[in-house]
Structures are given as C-alpha cells and as structure tokens.
Amino acid sequence: MDLALTDDQRAFRQAAREWLDATVVPHRRDWDRAEQVDTSIIRGLGEMGFLGLTIPEEYGGIGGDYLTYAMAMEELGRADSSVRGIVSVSNGLVGKPILGFGTEEQKQQWLRPIATGEALGCFGLTEAETGSDAGSLSTRAVPDGSDYIITGEKMFITNGTWADVCVVFARTGGPGPKGVSAFLVPTDSPGFMRTEIKGKLGLRGQATAQLAFDGVRVPASALLGQEGQGFTIAMTTLDKGRVSVAAGCVGIVQGCLEAAREYAVQRTQFGRPLAKFQLVQEMIADISVDADAARLLTWRAADLIERHLPFGVEASKAKLFASEAAVRAANLAVQVFGGYGYIDDYPVQKYLRDARVMTLYEGTSQIQKLLIGRAETGVSAFL
Ligand SMILES: Cc1cc2nc3c(=O)[nH]c(=O)nc-3n(C[C@H](O)[C@H](O)[C@H](O)COP(=O)(O)OP(=O)(O)OC[C@H]3O[C@@H](n4cnc5c(N)ncnc54)[C@H](O)[C@@H]3O)c2cc1C
C-alpha cells in the first residue's frame, strides 16, 4: 500500500475541503438547530462530484478510486456528518449495489440521476423489530402476475423523506437471509409512505424516516439481482459502507483535533495558553494518535477494495476503531473547550452528538467485534 497520494488525489481533497469550508461549514450550526440541512446542497454535492465518486463516467459519475472516495468522506465528516450521510447513502448504499447487481436498464434509469444529485437514494433494510438481526426482516414482496406487491415497514432510513428511489429489502421466500430479495422502488409509488423521525441526538440536519409500504406494486423489472439474493446484496453493500462510515469518523476526529489545537493555543488560563498545560497536551495527543490510527485502518480497507482483494474484516476493524475513536475524540475535544465545549458556538458539541450514532449504524460495535472474532476463530456467534 502506497501512502503517498497522487497529484489528482491531493487536488480533489483540496478542492473538496475548500468547497465544504465555503458551502457547508458556515451553515452547519443553523442546519443542526433547524433539524434540516438546506436541501439545495444536494445539487452542489452532485456538481462537485461527491455523489458520483464511485460511479463510472459512462453513467454520469467521475469514476474515482476508492482512496479518493475515503478522503472525500473524511472531508465531508469533518464538515458535517449530516451532509456526509446524504452522500454515503445515495452514492454508496444505493448507487453501488445498482452498479454491482443491477441490469443495464436499472443502471441507465438510476445511476446518472444519482451521480448528479438529480435523484437521491435511500437504503431500506432495518425494521422496528429487526436491526442487527436484519436477516429476519418481515417486509414481504408477493408475486402478482408479472408484478410484486410489497407490504411492511422500515425504520431509521437515512434520506428517507428526501429520496426518489429506495432499495427495499423484502421477503420473497422462507425465513432467514436466503428468503430476502432486493427491489428498486420509486418513492412516489402509490402506497409508499414516509414519516420523518425528529428529536435525534445527532445528525439532526439529516432526514431519517420511518417508511411504510401499503401494497406497493412494482414490476418484476424492479428486482435487483436475483430472487433470494437480497441479503447478500445488503451485506456486500454494507461491507463497503463501513469504510465510508469509518472515513467519515476520521473526519470527525480530524475536526476535533483542529478545533482543540486552535482553542488550546489561543485560550489563556492562569496567565498562559491552555496548550502550555501538559494535561491539555495529553488530550490533544490522544486525539492526534486516534486520527492517524483510524485513517490508516480506513485507507488499508479502501486500498484492498481498490485492488479487488478481500476487505470485509479490514472494513469491520476500520469501522469499529474509527467510530469508537470519533466518540473518544469528540468527548476529549469538549473537555479541552471546558464550558464552551458544551454550547454550540464551537463545533465540538455537534461532533460529539454526531459521533454517537457511528458506533450504532451499519453494524454496531458489538456486531463488528463478532465479525472480527469469527474471522479470527473460524467460529460464528450468529445462528
Ligand atoms: C440515525 C440513524 C440512521 C440509520 N440509517 C439507516 C439506513 O439508512 N438504513 C437502514 O436500513 N438502517 C439504518 N439505521 C439503522 C441501524 O443500522 C440500526 O439501528 C442498527 O443496525 C442497530 O439495530 P437496532 O437499532 O435495532 O439495535 P439492536 O439490533 O436491537 O441492538 C441493540 C443492542 O444489542 C446489541 N446486540 C444485538 N445483537 C447482538 C449480538 N448478537 N451480540 C451482541 N450484541 C448484540 C447491539 O450491539 C446493541 O448494543 C439507522 C439508524 C440510525 C440511528
């Protein structure tokens, strides 16, 4: 693995940071307070290439490499995790499975609009009764002539109220993962209902929704992959999604480092800058080491993806470490800021609230440990 970035990678990163510093950072506190980002940002994310990063040029994307994708996610995470979620889900959790498992017709229909920000995607796996145990989901898709009729509900769906298309995981067969299929469902289909979930601890600018399908009719051409392949599609997609979450967490840690460093140098107590106190330096040093360690684990996983090598365990390690590091770093950054860290005049309070979900979604920390433990021992803790 070569840690030296190419000129193109450095240039993309610089352009991404400058654009986010100008377009997102000045507004993130207001969006957080309003519990709604300005959705006109979505077109901007498309124009900047964020939404088409891993989509090939022939489908309207920029066909970037995976390390560039990880760096883009880091910059997005440093700027605002709510905005990062829009990109991670639409480009990553929806664009990528369409690219990997879709028919040519599905690719032509959805990839260009997703890459440009003309359309947004959401990923409907979790249900009220099935989170970590997603293979037991109960939404059903029943054949009816040449169509399927989908009935059920989904919970905690990122982009849910904004999306134009949803990858819906529904049961077409018997119990367990093998009975699950995936469908590309336009959200304006009759019977497709969505309700925004308010009052989240973090990611407050992000639309998170509860979805309900009341006999939603889709043609057989909406099936993504084969019948019974849905769980494999979900897990393959989430493996890559974990690298995206990990990279976003690196951005949180980096943002905490920059904020804490700057504050410690300019704030004085006892007649000297906070940075003069060794106990404050210790906190900043701990954040700095976490930033490097999380970034290296994330880049290793991204590098394996780029080279088409097995990466699932490395993605779990990166996601586990980086998400826990983001919580640790944001907590320490609040400590460096003292009382000012507790109010939202500075970004660290929001970093802490946003970081907290990272150890929960796309596989909790406990689930990552079970996946890593299974790889180490050859023994599965799952049924
Ligand atoms: C803001 C937000 C956005 C989200 N976006 C999406 C989305 O876009 N699409 C989507 O499909 N889902 C989404 N989710 C759902 C998310 O992926 C789930 O919340 C997550 O998978 C955990 O499921 P759960 O909440 O049902 O918790 P549970 O599975 O009930 O877990 C509760 C606790 O039990 C532990 N636990 C569970 N099983 C085991 C086990 N076998 N061994 C040890 N411990 C275990 C967990 O680690 C956790 O600590 C989102 C969630 C949030 C909060």
Side-chain angles (χ1 to χ4, degrees):
M1 177 176 155
D2 185 358
L3 292 177
L5 302 180
T6 64
D7 288 347
D8 281 353
Q9 287 167 335
R10 258 195 301 273
F12 185 87
R13 177 176 208 154
Q14 184 63 25
R17 180 173 281 222
E18 282 170 11
W19 186 82
L20 290 163
D21 277 349
T23 316
V24 170
V25 170
H27 306 291
R28 62 186 173 189
R29 185 179 75 164
D30 293 340
W31 295 342
D32 183 64
R33 285 187 175 184
E35 291 196 54
Q36 165 88 42
V37 306
D38 175 354
T39 47
S40 68
I41 194 86
I42 295 167
R43 278 307 184 104
L45 292 166
E47 282 160 18
M48 274 300 290
F50 287 117
L51 288 163
L53 262 168
T54 57
I55 296 175
E57 286 177 31
E58 62 180 300
Y59 297 113
I62 62 169
D65 63 274
Y66 224 85
L67 192 52
T68 303
Y69 182 69
M71 286 189 300
M73 292 304 127
E74 178 181 334
E75 292 304 332
L76 283 157
R78 174 185 164 275
D80 186 348
S81 292
S82 287
V83 177
R84 201 268 305 158
I86 295 173
V87 177
S88 280
V89 171
S90 200
N91 177 282
L93 299 190
V94 180
K96 270 188 236 139
I98 295 175
L99 190 61
F101 297 92
T103 60
E104 190 53 36
E105 189 191 341
Q106 289 168 336
K107 291 178 192 173
Q108 293 293 348
Q109 183 179 3
W110 292 114
L111 289 181
R112 189 173 295 275
I114 285 174
T116 55
E118 205 181 301
L120 207 60
C122 67
F123 180 84
L125 179 65
T126 303
E127 299 181 357
E129 300 302 324
T130 53
S132 302
D133 186 15
S136 300
L137 61 81
S138 62
T139 293
R140 289 210 72 88
V142 178
D144 183 51
S146 61
D147 298 338
Y148 288 90
I149 297 189
I150 304 177
T151 307
E153 289 186 359
K154 296 287 171 186
M155 187 68 184
F156 295 133
I157 306 306
T158 301
N159 290 348
T161 43
W162 298 335
D164 303 279
V165 60
C166 181
V167 184
V168 176
F169 295 91
R171 191 163 297 288
T172 48
K178 291 198 173 114
V180 176
S181 300
F183 296 87
L184 292 173
V185 184
T187 55
D188 61 1
S189 307
F192 193 122
M193 292 171 286
R194 36 211 186 149
T195 312
E196 183 132 357
I197 300 168
K198 290 286 187 186
K200 299 196 297 283
L201 176 66
L203 301 188
R204 294 168 73 97
Q206 171 67 251
T208 308
Q210 198 166 356
L211 309 180
F213 317 112
D214 182 11
V216 174
R217 180 178 287 276
V218 291
S221 60
L223 182 68
L224 182 63
Q226 307 297 314
E227 252 199 35
Q229 204 185 5
F231 197 71
T232 304
I233 294 174
M235 293 304 114
T236 311
T237 303
L238 287 175
D239 274 349
K240 285 190 180 164
R242 283 167 190 154
V243 182
S244 175
V245 174
C249 291
V250 175
I252 293 177
V253 182
Q254 181 64 33
C256 289
L257 176 62
E258 291 170 17
R261 206 165 52 194
E262 192 181 322
Y263 190 77
V265 171
Q266 59 86 13
R267 166 86 170 167
T268 57
Q269 288 293 286
F270 300 97
R272 38 188 154 148
L274 295 179
K276 281 267 188 192
F277 301 115
Q278 289 177 342
L279 292 176
V280 174
Q281 285 214 3
E282 183 192 41
M283 291 192 273
I284 293 171
D286 284 346
I287 300 173
S288 177
V289 174
D290 265 345
D292 282 0
R295 187 177 290 114
L296 286 169
L297 283 171
T298 303
W299 284 16
R300 177 179 68 167
D303 180 62
L304 290 171
I305 295 175
E306 189 59 27
R307 290 191 289 129
H308 304 288
L309 292 170
F311 66 92
V313 183
E314 288 76 8
S316 284
K317 288 181 181 175
K319 199 266 179 184
L320 171 64
F321 186 86
S323 60
E324 297 286 348
V327 176
R328 268 196 307 274
N331 205 24
L332 282 174
V334 168
Q335 196 68 18
V336 170
F337 275 77
Y340 293 96
Y342 200 67
I343 57 176
D344 67 3
D345 287 3
Y346 294 96
V348 292
Q349 184 230 52
K350 179 173 177 302
Y351 279 136
L352 180 59
R353 288 186 288 103
D354 287 348
R356 196 60 194 82
V357 79
M358 306 297 166
T359 69
L360 300 174
Y361 66 12
E362 299 206 28
T364 65
S365 288
Q366 287 70 34
I367 294 300
Q368 304 312 324
K369 285 180 184 172
L370 296 183
L371 294 171
I372 297 163
R374 182 177 68 184
E376 290 291 350
T377 63
V379 178
S380 176
F382 303 107
L383 288 177

